[in-house]
Amino acid sequence: MRKIQRTRHRGMMFTSLYKRKTGKTLRRKILALRQLGDIGAATALVRQALNDTPDDIGLLKELANLRARAGDDEGIVAALESVRAIEPLGPHTAQLYDRAALSVAKQQIEALHRQGQDREAIARIEAGLERFPEDVCLLKSLAVSCAALDDPE
């Protein structure tokens, strides 16, 4: 019985070492692709790894960083919301999330302006101003929206 337990124990250790080696290899591949500027391939590799381990915080943060390099603010927000569901965001990650969320909000507000939905735009602007009270673009959008409605308040 002890021999079986040792074998199982060694088997678990082997599995753990294998996973660590695989993780290091994966990180090296992602880093190499990122350095070569192949953000699409690096992102695909991270997404493939996330299929196996969807709660891997390191991979989710790597995905957010790759999305940032690609200029995909919606992708950043989605990846970091997954991280935030697992643990609180650190200062750097929170700053990246806030910047991306603000950018997405501004794009949505601009789309609402183009569609003539100024009341909905004002509601989104007010929500944005609660988080970012001194953002000049949001303040300007609020003024434009109010002027479009002839509502000086």
Side-chain angles (χ1 to χ4, degrees), residues 7-63:
T7 305
R8 285 186 184 162
H9 178 67
R10 285 186 183 154
M12 284 190 286
M13 286 184 65
F14 176 77
T15 302
S16 176
L17 289 173
Y18 174 75
K19 286 181 181 176
R20 274 191 258 147
K21 284 185 178 182
T22 303
K24 285 181 183 179
T25 302
L26 179 66
R27 281 186 233 119
R28 286 184 187 136
K29 286 180 182 177
I30 293 167
L31 180 62
L33 289 169
R34 199 170 25 155
Q35 288 174 342
L36 290 171
D38 196 348
I39 302 304
T43 301
L45 194 58
V46 170
R47 291 181 61 80
Q48 181 182 2
L50 282 169
N51 287 336
D52 296 331
T53 54
D55 293 336
D56 187 317
I57 293 170
L59 285 174
L60 288 167
K61 288 182 179 180
E62 182 64 34
L63 180 61

Side-chain angles (χ1 to χ4, degrees), residues 64-86:
N65 287 326
L66 289 168
R67 297 285 192 198
R69 291 201 51 192
D72 178 9
D73 291 322
E74 290 178 2
I76 295 169
V77 170
L80 293 181
E81 283 178 351
S82 296
V83 170
R84 195 167 60 175
I86 300 167

Side-chain angles (χ1 to χ4, degrees), residues 82-101:
S82 296
V83 170
R84 195 167 60 175
I86 300 167
E87 71 176 19
L89 299 179
H92 171 72
T93 312
Q95 185 179 22
L96 177 62
Y97 177 82
D98 286 344
R99 184 199 58 77

